[in-house]
Amino acid sequence: MDLAALIIADSRFPGGGHVHSGGIEEAVVRKLVVSERDLPAFLLSRLRTAGALAATFAAAAAHATTREVRSGHWRRLDAEFDARTPSQAQRAASRAQGRGTARAGRVAWPSPALSDLLGECPRPHHPIVLGVLVGVPHDAAMAAAYLAVSGPASAAVRLLGLDPFQVNAVVARLAEPMREVCAHAADVAGHDPATLPAPSSPGLDLFAEAHAAQHEEEVRLFAS
Amino acid sequence: MKAHARLTACFDGSRTVLRELRSMAPLSLVPRRDTGPEAVVHLVNSATAPLGGDNLRLTIQVGAGAVLHVVAVAATLVLPGPHGTPSTSLVELDVADGGSLEYLPGPVIVTAGANHTAELRGDIAGHLHARETLVLGRDGERPGRLTTTQHLTRGPVPLLRQTLTVGDPELDASIAHLAGHRVMATALMIGEASRAPASGRWWSRTALAAGGTLATSLAPDVVTAQARLEAATSA
């Protein structure tokens, strides 16, 4: 795996990902996730829905950097990600992380592709800017899929005081489904953006909207 | 069984007329009379469709100025075929600028052993109000497999693309999918001003990026799901 992918997947990467819980704070508030035992199902379902979507678009964006794409391609990819993200709160969270990642990326990995992306989409979605920075479809998919579960896993440790060793083991056991998700994302990376997979996560969308509404009214630890 | 039913509504200057109305068993389209300037068509599925092996297709076109309501009279039971043969259904909607379609297909109940792929494709330049209800199995029944996809566009602009696969016990119960509920109801409004987000414990309403509003509710039964959806659309 390329160094860029490792840096971006590292929780110390200054892209602002640490303020997002991937819906687990709302699940904790509702007492649907109370212990380490509830984590595998939450993380697996997140991986196979929101994680698969992020991996797909990260791989597609990385693939686009390796070939000549016409002007307007980044806007199309952005619109296709929007259409697969009905929750306004989820779109806002993705763009917030995209912006932080772009800011760090502009300093670390400036490239014509990054300039083109930010020229067309000044506030890019997180998986798309991640894909452009990594530039290798499968590596980009791995970084995006990993972040889709590592963020909520570490948020769960902070929210519930879970045993970090147990939580780490839960994430490690996702290796096989993560390989499947990323292999598929890399397979379709060069397809027309309109035909890319669109795995939905109605439960997470509902939680994201509820979290955003509650976030306005009461103190929450995470932004989403 | 392979069937393709078609319905085309146009505005003739004073009212909506059904220029084409072609039923094909097991999809029956029954127009209601005396509905004023708007047209109402009842969608009647035979009791045993879709069944494994069936490929059903319904095409609805609404021209400029026309107002069409397509309303199912009953729930749809998705049933298994012999030897697990898969079934498919495709609904194509084409609503011209200035046209309006209300599409209420009724609850879809995924019975045990079913293996169905449902797709809704719509090019919506005008107005669309669609309500769908998905039920995982009859009371106390484990659902079969269903992959349901929505592709809605306005010309080249994608509005909503979503695929949900149910029938994997691990995912069905998960928070990402139906969070342990048996019923999901959605209402999609396109072609009117997007409404501000709102949410309750098991419902939410959100504005789509390219215009339109999607309301979603999760519940243990159809009646509760529809009541929560009502809360989401009227809040």
Side-chain angles (χ1 to χ4, degrees):
Chain A
M1 187 178 264
D2 195 66
L3 180 60
L6 288 173
I7 291 177
I8 291 170
D10 187 337
S11 63
R12 288 156 293 191
F13 173 66
H18 64 286
V19 302
H20 299 277
S21 84
I24 209 162
E25 183 169 22
E26 181 67 22
V28 166
V29 168
R30 293 176 184 229
K31 298 193 167 37
L32 295 170
V33 172
V34 297
S35 76
E36 287 89 348
R37 276 200 310 276
D38 304 314
L39 264 192
F42 181 92
L43 295 181
L44 179 66
S45 68
R46 192 164 203 286
L47 172 64
R48 286 175 56 181
T49 57
L53 180 65
T56 297
F57 275 74
H63 193 280
T65 63
T66 66
R67 63 184 204 269
E68 289 280 309
V69 291
R70 267 189 265 166
S71 135
H73 182 83
W74 300 113
R75 239 191 322 262
R76 271 193 74 205
L77 209 51
D78 186 84
E80 292 292 347
F81 190 84
D82 264 349
R84 287 159 177 77
T85 315
S87 157
Q88 195 171 329
Q90 301 269 46
R91 291 197 302 276
S94 170
R95 290 198 189 277
Q97 290 184 75
R99 199 181 194 178
T101 301
R103 199 176 292 153
R106 234 191 310 229
V107 180
W109 303 284
S111 73
L114 181 64
S115 303
D116 289 349
L117 166 67
L118 297 177
E120 289 185 19
C121 312
R123 298 187 60 233
H125 278 299
H126 182 233
I128 296 176
V129 66
L130 184 159
V132 168
L133 295 177
V134 173
V136 181
H138 191 267
D139 288 2
M142 280 297 278
Y146 172 69
L147 286 171
V149 292
S150 67
S154 76
V157 172
R158 288 171 65 191
L159 288 161
L160 292 165
L162 301 184
D163 173 3
F165 292 103
Q166 291 295 334
V167 172
N168 184 60
V170 169
V171 174
R173 280 193 289 270
L174 292 171
E176 192 50 43
M178 198 172 294
R179 265 194 286 274
E180 282 168 23
V181 161
C182 296
H184 186 58
D187 277 350
V188 300
H191 290 193
D192 178 342
T195 66
L196 290 173
S200 71
S201 44
L204 287 175
D205 289 350
L206 198 150
F207 278 27
E209 293 298 325
H211 184 108
Q214 293 299 313
H215 190 60
E216 311 255 301
E217 289 168 18
E218 57 178 90
V219 176
R220 288 271 171 114
L221 199 53
F222 293 92
S224 78
Chain B
M1 196 176 269
K2 255 192 166 60
H4 185 185
R6 299 182 62 100
L7 175 57
T8 303
C10 297
F11 186 62
D12 74 353
S14 59
R15 61 190 195 93
T16 301
V17 292
L18 300 173
R19 188 140 302 163
E20 186 179 20
L21 181 81
R22 194 174 74 188
S23 300
M24 193 182 284
L27 297 172
S28 298
L29 299 167
V30 183
R32 266 188 49 195
R33 291 179 194 286
D34 305 322
T35 52
E38 306 188 349
V40 179
V41 173
H42 283 162
L43 183 60
V44 187
N45 262 2
S46 110
T48 57
L51 189 65
D54 284 353
N55 299 113
L56 310 179
R57 185 170 166 201
L58 170 65
T59 304
I60 302 173
Q61 286 179 292
V62 181
V67 180
L68 174 67
H69 305 264
V70 177
V71 185
V73 295
T76 299
L77 274 180
V78 181
L79 298 161
H83 325 296
T85 325
S87 55
T88 65
S89 66
L90 170 64
V91 175
E92 298 160 303
L93 311 177
D94 183 349
V95 182
D97 192 4
S100 175
L101 171 65
E102 183 182 45
Y103 177 63
L104 307 176
V108 171
I109 304 163
V110 188
T111 68
N115 184 5
H116 187 66
T117 302
E119 195 172 332
L120 176 75
R121 287 194 165 267
D123 186 1
I124 313 297
H127 179 268
L128 172 71
H129 179 192
R131 278 183 189 233
E132 296 190 279
T133 303
L134 179 63
V135 185
L136 306 193
R138 286 165 289 200
D139 224 355
E141 178 186 47
R142 280 261 295 273
R145 203 164 180 83
L146 168 80
T147 300
T148 175
T149 300
Q150 295 170 306
H151 280 289
L152 292 147
T153 53
R154 192 195 310 112
V157 179
L159 299 175
L160 181 66
R161 298 196 201 273
Q162 296 261 269
T163 299
L164 182 70
T165 298
V166 301
D168 176 334
E170 213 171 23
L171 278 185
D172 290 345
S174 76
I175 285 164
H177 270 185
L178 268 56
H181 292 94
R182 190 168 68 96
V183 182
M184 176 172 80
T186 57
L188 177 63
M189 279 81 61
I190 292 172
E192 54 188 70
S194 291
R195 297 168 64 193
S199 61
R201 188 160 170 81
W202 289 113
W203 58 263
S204 73
R205 186 181 74 213
T206 184
L208 301 180
T213 304
L214 177 70
T216 306
S217 73
L218 298 172
D221 58 76
V222 171
V223 173
T224 311
Q226 287 173 351
R228 287 176 180 166
L229 193 65
E230 200 51 47
T233 50
S234 60

